[in-house]
Amino acid sequence: GAGVSQTPSNKVTEKGKYVELRCDPISGHTALYWYRQSLGQGPEFLIYFQGTGAADDSGLPNDRFFAVRPEGSVSTLKIQRTERGDSAVYLCASSLRPSGSSTDTQYFGPGTRLTVL
Amino acid sequence: AQSVAQPEDQVNVAEGNPLTVKCTYSVSGNPYLFWYVQYPNRGLQFLLKYITGDNLVKGSYGFEAEFNKSQTSFHLKKPSALVSDSALYFCAVRVPSSSASKIIFGSGTRLSIRP
């Protein structure tokens, strides 16, 4: 596909359960980002990957959140022991080149709506 | 700390009239500024960005934005609004540096265009 894709589009889970959210970036994009968007708010940064490594994870709220990108393409955001406050839309974005001084645009996927009951 | 403010939660405009969605920012250093649009149940779509050069930036769907350094603003504009422009608009900022990776988003402005 031409754009960033995310699966599932919707995920409903129970408090305390474990969830995985998947992101497929645009082919050839080296940088990948995860954001979280709560109702009525703008997206908030979670983590940034350059290749396979997490270059900046300063936005992860606590150690229940973890993300991987083992082959430098697809990424998975993992949330352990989910809480009701984790309910939000989780957005993935990718850009062609590394961040920092790059002027490259971040392109966003449609998001995964997570609901924790 | 970097921040972005969108002072209006909602903007209502009649179709055919000009529209402005306001954005102000606070950063140390020269900012990269962005506008994104979000339609219902869809991801953020890139509209335009200011990096350097001409203060008036033209983007997708007839939108443009004017960078004003003295007022630290980056307002989004369109000369003639369409009903299909109704959506949620986000202003965002990033300060270029070797360690800066994230975009800081404003809280969004809902644009409603009435026929």
Side-chain angles (χ1 to χ4, degrees), chain A residues 33 35 37 40-45 48 55-56 58-59 91 99-111 113, chain B residues 32 34 36 38 41-46 49 51 88 90 94-108:
Chain A
Y33 314 79
Y35 292 81
Q37 186 176 17
Q41 301 293 322
E44 294 179 304
F45 170 82
Y48 154 60
D56 182 353
S58 62
L91 297 169
S99 194
S101 59
S102 166
T103 61
D104 284 354
T105 299
Q106 293 184 21
Y107 294 95
F108 284 79
R113 182 175 298 279
Chain B
Y32 294 163
F34 304 83
Y36 284 84
Q38 188 172 39
N41 300 316
R42 295 176 64 178
L44 293 167
Q45 293 182 33
F46 169 74
K49 66 183 177 184
I51 303 299
L88 190 55
F90 290 97
R94 184 160 76 80
V95 175
S97 79
S98 60
S99 61
S101 55
K102 57 191 175 186
I103 293 178
I104 306 297
F105 286 87
S107 56

Side-chain angles (χ1 to χ4, degrees), chain A residues 15-110:
Chain A
K15 180 175 179 294
K17 299 289 187 182
Y18 168 83
V19 296
E20 291 189 351
L21 311 179
R22 176 188 168 105
C23 172
D24 280 89
I26 293 172
S27 179
H29 279 197
T30 61
L32 184 146
Y33 314 79
W34 284 98
Y35 292 81
R36 178 168 70 174
Q37 186 176 17
S38 301
L39 194 62
Q41 301 293 322
E44 294 179 304
F45 170 82
L46 295 176
I47 187 170
Y48 154 60
F49 284 90
Q50 177 47 47
T52 60
D56 182 353
D57 63 358
S58 62
L60 295 177
N62 51 61
D63 61 5
R64 295 187 297 106
F65 288 74
F66 189 70
V68 296
R69 194 185 185 201
E71 298 179 355
S73 178
V74 170
S75 176
T76 304
L77 178 67
K78 307 180 180 190
I79 311 175
Q80 299 176 323
R81 305 183 304 280
T82 52
E83 300 177 356
R84 291 192 180 89
D86 298 336
S87 296
V89 175
Y90 289 82
L91 297 169
C92 177
S94 69
S95 65
L96 182 60
R97 290 175 294 181
S99 194
S101 59
S102 166
T103 61
D104 284 354
T105 299
Q106 293 184 21
Y107 294 95
F108 284 79

Side-chain angles (χ1 to χ4, degrees), chain B residues 24-103:
Chain B
T24 58
Y25 64 90
S26 175
V27 301
S28 54
N30 294 319
Y32 294 163
L33 294 157
F34 304 83
W35 276 101
Y36 284 84
V37 59
Q38 188 172 39
Y39 296 99
N41 300 316
R42 295 176 64 178
L44 293 167
Q45 293 182 33
F46 169 74
L47 276 181
L48 52 81
K49 66 183 177 184
Y50 172 82
I51 303 299
T52 187
D54 193 348
N55 289 344
L56 185 64
V57 179
K58 294 187 183 298
S60 306
Y61 313 120
F63 283 94
E64 58 188 28
E66 186 168 11
F67 171 63
N68 188 317
K69 188 172 183 177
S70 63
Q71 297 185 4
T72 62
S73 68
F74 190 57
H75 301 332
L76 181 70
K77 300 181 180 184
K78 186 172 182 180
S80 179
L82 299 173
V83 173
S84 58
D85 293 330
S86 298
L88 190 55
Y89 290 79
F90 290 97
C91 182
V93 66
R94 184 160 76 80
V95 175
S97 79
S98 60
S99 61
S101 55
K102 57 191 175 186
I103 293 178

